[in-house]
Amino acid sequence: MGPDRATLVPMVSGLTIALLVAIGLMATAQKGPPVPAVYAGASPYNTGDIGTSYLAGMLESKGANVVVVKNLTTDLARLGGERCVFVDISPERPYTRLEAAMVLGSLGKCNSASLLIADEQNTSNAFFELLGMPAYIPPITIAEVPVPPEKPSAPYEQPQRVPVVAILLRNGTRLFLPLYPAARLTVGNETFNLTLDIASVVALEPSPNSPAVIGRARVGSEDYAVAIAGRAAYGGRELAVVAISDGSIFLNQVLEANATYRRFAERLFGELCGDLKACTVAFDNTRYSPIPLALTELANQTVVPAYASWPSVIAGAVSQLIHPSAWLPVLVSSTNELLERVRANALASSALAVAASLAALLFLGRGQGFVKDSPLPEQREAVLVYTKSLSDEVERGKLKLTREDFVSLYGIVSDALEGALGARLSDPSVVPQIARLMGDEWAKKYYESMNKLLAKATGKSRRPLLVFWGREVRKWIAESDKLLSKLGYGLTSARGYEYLLK
Amino acid sequence: MEAPSVRATSRARLFYFVSAFLIVAGFLTLNSAAVSMGLVLLMMVVGLRAYADYVASSAYGLSAEISHGELLDRRPVSVVVTLRNPYMLPLAFLEYSIRHSPYLKLAEGSRKGLLIVPGKGLAKVRLVFAGRVGKFTVGPVELVARDPFGLYRSDKIVLNVVAEIKIPPEISEAALRRLIAIARASGLARARSAGYGTEFRSVREYRPGDELKLIEWRKTAKLGKAVVREMEREIQQNVFFLLDATRPMLSGPYGLSMFEHMARVVASVSKHLLARGDSVGLVVYSGRGVLSTSRARRGASALAEIESLLASVSYEEEAEGVPREIAIEAALRALLKMLPRERNIVFIIALVDDEHYADKVADVAIKLRRTGNVVFVLNPIASSYELLGLPEWARAVYRVKARGLLVKQVELMKSLRRKGIASIMVAPLHAPPLIARLVEARRLR
């Protein structure tokens, strides 16, 4: 015999659960629907083209402890351990010195810390200032510059203009870079040819402590630094700093589509983290603004694909649709309308009341079952009867008397007469003895009739021809009783002919 | 033991329906009175359920005892069933049913009804049964807890208290007087020999050793010499009864069955014989086994033992009872163990109504005779007992219809006589004098 199968034992009734669910639904409906938000910019929560959710996911899948900093005051406390990397990619709001100090200070809690800045604007320059690094990233704008014609043109022809990235250095120098300059970035001993996207440059100030240039973009005959790597000290702790003047190389649309850029990102974080499994990578989400979107705006083309991917949009839509605030008020008002219509109709109300009552009855009655009520059985009395069926039939008067019964009657009378008078009924000498008790005429008639009928009953005679035995037996029982009663042994008395037997 | 479960009856279904209808209809028609009434009805049903639960679980805690008054044959036997409630709250609407032996007839009282047992109090149910010889049981007590409206009822609760009542046979004073009269009138009362006894025989000259209290002083004064009274020595007999208490013997009208009648006869005759200094032994056999006195005994304690044996015969159905042919053999073995090595008188009282049993009875009688005992077989006439339970107008037809049974019994008796066994047909009205005559007749031989 195997072990008993586990069975579920309900601890709470179904009704209680249903009530709790109803209360929960109403409370949730009252609270209002969830409003999905999307983050603009290179947020790690942005699953759209211009987010960095792919990079965060990739690092997490390789075992890194990825932390998203949503609040510099509280979330930076999660930094710590062997190795930390703070990732700053294309921030949409500039870092203040205080904010930069908070970040650098939290990095000091790690045994080995790194700062990755990938910014095409000047929003991250506070880090360089606090670290005392002689570098900065100048801001960019898009400008159109005329392109000299390949051959002389007519004076009236307008020159062709092309968009370029215009960079203004602090020393007043203007640089113009193509929108998508080709660059070579070296990480460790590996060099990557990448195309930057509306990128700036990393401007280096003359200093004996200038960081190393690890990435250059060639424009014509000029090389511009687009990536640097160095070490700096803050708060008595040293940290590695990598700055790239383009954040787009880490965006979802780039990493998802291009293996070289993925390889570059892996290599870079491999250098910064060492062993990814022992590395905490903090993505700063505080530089990007969430945009709450209602259900109707989720399908807006400006959201998708830039700020959110279709799966997350669909998930957001579904979460709004299934929320009780979307369907519960509609259900309640529809039910109200239906009930109003029913209430207006007496027949419908009665039918509904009866149906609801029956349903309640079925519900309440399920499981327990209604029992047919019956009283406790009463103790029955029994009587042991030797001749049960005979006694019952005699008392009910259902017996049919036959010729055999006449023979019995004759035998009874004979036994009684023999016991009392010494002669049987068949003996003619009994007649005068009977006559002494009942009279001559009666005795003679009795003697003749009884013997004649006995002969008929036993088949010794055919006369009388027609005998209704039932009637005859009853008649001669009565007559015999008269005689035997005279002897003191009547047929109906308790002391009968049995007492004469020897 | 788990408390009994309480279930809703079909009546509760109506109440549920009505209350649900009132509530729903009230909501639909915005009738607060209907809703309130429906809620009140529902609360009432819930309350009744709670009460029924309470009564059911408390009923298990009731203690019951059964006591009885004097146990007399052919007299009312009073039995009181007492239920004690140890709890504070009263237990109302307890339906009860008192079970008892089906062969005991209720003369007064009600064996089922509704009880209210007060808190910390008791309730008594008095039943009066018509007493009859034998052993019977009263109990157990069955209870069902209910609410006042019968909406809920519990499963049956059984209080396993059972009392055994054993009713000894009535000793008829009239029969005793008749027995004594028979003994005296027939001149068979005295043994004709001198010896120690209570009856005066004659006077004689005093001999050394005679007790001084026997000196007849008047005669002594008259005759001038000491004379003493000479008493009669009574001859003691050992009388044994082998009484059939198998099922056929237990049949007959209430209180007038063959066994009951013969039990009274045995008790009455035994008392008479024991008063005369005889020894009496009794063996009662039935499908359940054999009951017997340890030996033939004298005196009041012997009578008490005989009465107790007769009161121990049970009427209950024997599921695998021993056939009477085998039971009588066991009875014979018990009897042989107690028979003294003397000439004893043995009365075998059995309903001989079929050949096989007749042969068995004959075997037993012959075995007893061979060991020097005087044996009589008394065969009660079954139909004459059955008659007593019928109305007068039905007796004539019954006699006619039942003659065949009587004829058969007579034939079987004749077959026993042909084997040399003294066999007598016995009817309800003439058993005691018959037995007494037979005993006194043997006393003189």
Side-chain angles (χ1 to χ4, degrees), chain A residues 343 357 371 373-374 376-379 381-382 384-387 400 405 408 415 491 493 497-499, chain B residues 8 11 21 28 95 97 99-100 102 106 111-112 146 153 252 353 386 398-399 401 403 406 428-429:
Chain A
R343 269 207 285 262
S357 308
V371 292
D373 195 14
S374 57
L376 281 171
E378 186 172 357
Q379 175 67 56
E381 291 174 358
L384 292 169
V385 182
Y386 187 71
T387 51
K400 198 175 156 188
D405 296 320
S408 293
D415 288 343
L491 284 172
S493 68
Y497 80 102
E498 307 88 28
Y499 289 80
Chain B
R11 283 179 220 101
F21 180 82
L28 286 175
E95 185 191 355
S97 174
R99 314 298 282 173
H100 59 80
L106 187 68
R111 53 188 152 226
K112 60 173 283 193
R146 295 173 177 283
R153 59 164 286 165
D353 58 353
E386 293 282 290
Y398 181 83
R399 275 197 163 100
K401 284 287 185 183
R403 179 173 159 79
L406 175 58
L429 300 180

Side-chain angles (χ1 to χ4, degrees), chain A residues 282-301:
Chain A
F283 281 80
D284 189 5
N285 197 51
T286 63
R287 304 294 106 186
Y288 317 100
S289 304
I291 306 168
L293 294 175
L295 190 63
T296 51
E297 292 180 33
L298 282 174
N300 190 323
Q301 281 183 357

